[in-house]
Amino acid sequence: MKAVIDFWRRNSDRLLGRGEAAVTLPPMDGALLPNNVLEQARKVAELPQIDNLVMHEGRLLCSAGHRLWAWQADTGLQPQVEFDAAVAALVSLPDGPLLAALVDGSLHRVTGAGAERLQGLAGFDGFCPTAMVAVDSHTLVLTEGSSHHLAHEWKRDLMSRERSGRVWRLDLAAGRAQLLASGLGWAGGAALTADGQVVVSESWSHRLCTIPLDGAARRAPQPVLSELPAYPGRLVPAAGGGYWLPLFAPRSQLVEFVLREAGYRARMMAEIAEPFWVAPALESGSDFREPLQGGAIKSMGVLKPWAPTRSYGLVVRLDAQFNPLFSLHSRADGRRHGVTSVLEHQQQLWVASQGGRCLLSLTAGDGGEWA
């Protein structure tokens, strides 16, 4: 009976342009009111492909492509470790080692200037790791974006309308792997809550949802924040409670419309190079072959900050109940787009802008504002 109801609901939504067939977007208003805080933030280093940020043994580490880098105020970024494949996720276990997940799905323990591949996790067939979070010194939660596309193929996964993301709990000491959730629309990040649950960024559903950490009761993920105007990524705890949520690319009415046109999407993906698809991106505006909407045409040499855009810079501060408090932006006319990772440490907020190819630093003011 449920299948019949879903069939009629999908068809009526498509006929009337509502529900899943709607192309309307939630506005950036209230706590999401645009500003230029990210665009005006201090740039501490330039690094193409900058991605994950993690604090380990008192040092700020970041990944970029196949390499792991360490940042210090007096020396800047210095290369530490080079892997066989690009780094997809990093986690520092409390009182334990630094772990790196690569885009080929393998897990590695970082040891000094080298890395040792982890073996013997029965039942775990890592394919597309996107983020990791430590539960204790030997247990972690790992999110996978897709079961069909690798991490760097996220745009193809979105335009294929895949729903094959998974969430794993890995016990490194016992060598056990437990599947906590599957069938997610790109599980792009995770964080733990005080009541023993995992909050997962389900990027293609534009929401955060909770699943039980113990996996005892496999139930549908429960949304805690929905209808986001952009695609959420790696959720991280904030000092003083709550969370920081980077959203790596914006939604747009044009992309929402294309996502509902199966024939057009199939031809676009088959005949056009990926950088020029009508699809969200981590950076845009550098090639004349990119798709362009009328509102994004420069007038008198100026691009309007509210112009339709394929890329955007956005970080949202959430309280402990996942309600947005305020947000940091780099708008359509800015360059600090494609924020894939943030990290708060000692009243400093570190931001990895992959679209801007740089590491940003913001400091908390006495009034709680960031600049």
Side-chain angles (χ1 to χ4, degrees):
M1 178 60 73
K2 183 177 183 303
V4 174
I5 294 174
D6 289 344
F7 173 80
W8 285 108
R9 179 182 292 124
R10 282 196 302 271
N11 282 280
S12 63
D13 285 351
R14 191 172 178 82
L15 177 64
L16 300 174
R18 66 186 185 189
E20 285 291 319
V23 297
T24 54
L25 299 177
M28 286 195 186
D29 203 352
L32 300 182
L33 195 67
N35 52 57
N36 286 317
V37 175
L38 283 184
E39 192 61 28
Q40 296 169 352
R42 183 169 67 97
K43 180 169 68 175
V44 296
E46 293 185 354
L47 186 63
Q49 303 181 54
I50 186 170
D51 193 3
N52 292 272
L53 298 177
V54 66
M55 193 65 66
H56 182 66
E57 297 178 343
R59 295 190 305 165
L60 175 65
L61 304 176
C62 66
S63 66
H66 292 56
R67 284 185 173 176
L68 181 67
W69 299 74
W71 185 88
Q72 290 185 324
D74 53 348
T75 60
L77 284 171
Q78 297 294 325
Q80 301 295 305
V81 182
E82 183 156 355
F83 299 91
D84 294 333
V87 178
L90 291 172
V91 64
S92 175
L93 298 181
D95 302 320
L98 176 71
L99 300 182
L102 307 186
V103 294
D104 61 7
S106 61
L107 281 176
H108 297 255
R109 178 187 289 110
V110 178
T111 55
E116 168 193 1
R117 181 165 183 164
L118 296 178
Q119 306 281 359
L121 283 168
F124 176 63
D125 55 346
F127 180 74
C128 175
T130 53
M132 296 187 287
V133 57
V135 178
D136 54 40
S137 60
H138 58 81
T139 310
L140 61 98
V141 170
L142 182 146
T143 59
E144 286 191 305
S146 172
S147 299
H148 302 107
H149 300 106
L150 300 177
H152 64 276
E153 298 175 316
W154 63 270
K155 198 178 300 183
R156 180 174 292 277
D157 194 79
L158 169 63
M159 303 313 288
S160 301
R161 304 210 69 171
E162 285 283 348
R163 292 292 187 274
S164 57
R166 300 184 291 185
V167 181
W168 294 87
R169 175 175 176 150
L170 305 179
D171 187 331
L172 304 181
R176 287 197 301 265
Q178 181 182 15
L179 183 62
L180 300 180
S182 59
L184 303 176
W186 195 267
L192 305 180
T193 65
D195 59 352
Q197 299 194 83
V198 184
V199 178
V200 177
S201 297
E202 196 178 2
S203 304
W204 305 159
S205 297
H206 334 110
R207 67 177 187 173
L208 304 181
C209 53
T210 61
I211 58 176
L213 178 59
D214 58 12
R218 286 289 299 277
R219 56 171 172 76
Q222 302 298 306
V224 293
L225 179 62
S226 304
E227 298 295 329
L228 290 165
Y231 302 102
R234 298 186 180 107
L235 189 66
V236 295
Y243 304 87
W244 290 102
L245 176 65
L247 297 100
F248 56 87
R251 298 170 65 190
S252 73
Q253 288 182 314
L254 180 60
V255 171
E256 295 293 320
F257 177 75
V258 169
L259 284 170
R260 285 150 183 77
E261 298 297 322
Y264 180 90
R265 281 187 290 113
R267 283 197 62 187
M268 178 180 72
M269 290 190 287
E271 300 174 10
I272 299 176
E274 184 175 311
F276 312 124
W277 290 356
V278 180
L282 299 180
E283 60 178 320
S284 60
S286 59
D287 194 304
F288 72 92
R289 293 170 293 179
E290 293 178 11
L292 179 68
Q293 291 183 257
I297 296 175
K298 289 184 179 179
S299 177
M300 305 292 288
V302 175
L303 176 65
K304 299 179 183 67
W306 56 86
T309 179
R310 299 169 62 230
S311 63
Y312 197 88
L314 179 58
V315 178
V316 179
R317 176 71 162 84
L318 307 173
D319 66 13
Q321 286 71 46
F322 301 95
N323 300 307
L325 297 175
F326 60 87
S327 54
L328 317 174
H329 296 245
S330 174
R331 305 175 72 181
D333 58 340
R335 305 304 300 174
R336 276 85 179 270
H337 293 177
V339 175
T340 56
S341 188
V342 297
L343 176 69
E344 184 178 356
H345 182 68
Q346 295 181 346
Q347 294 191 314
Q348 270 194 302
L349 183 68
W350 300 92
V351 178
S353 168
Q354 193 168 142
R357 308 178 187 189
C358 59
L359 175 64
L360 306 175
S361 173
L362 298 94
T363 304
D366 294 336
E369 74 281 3
W370 291 85

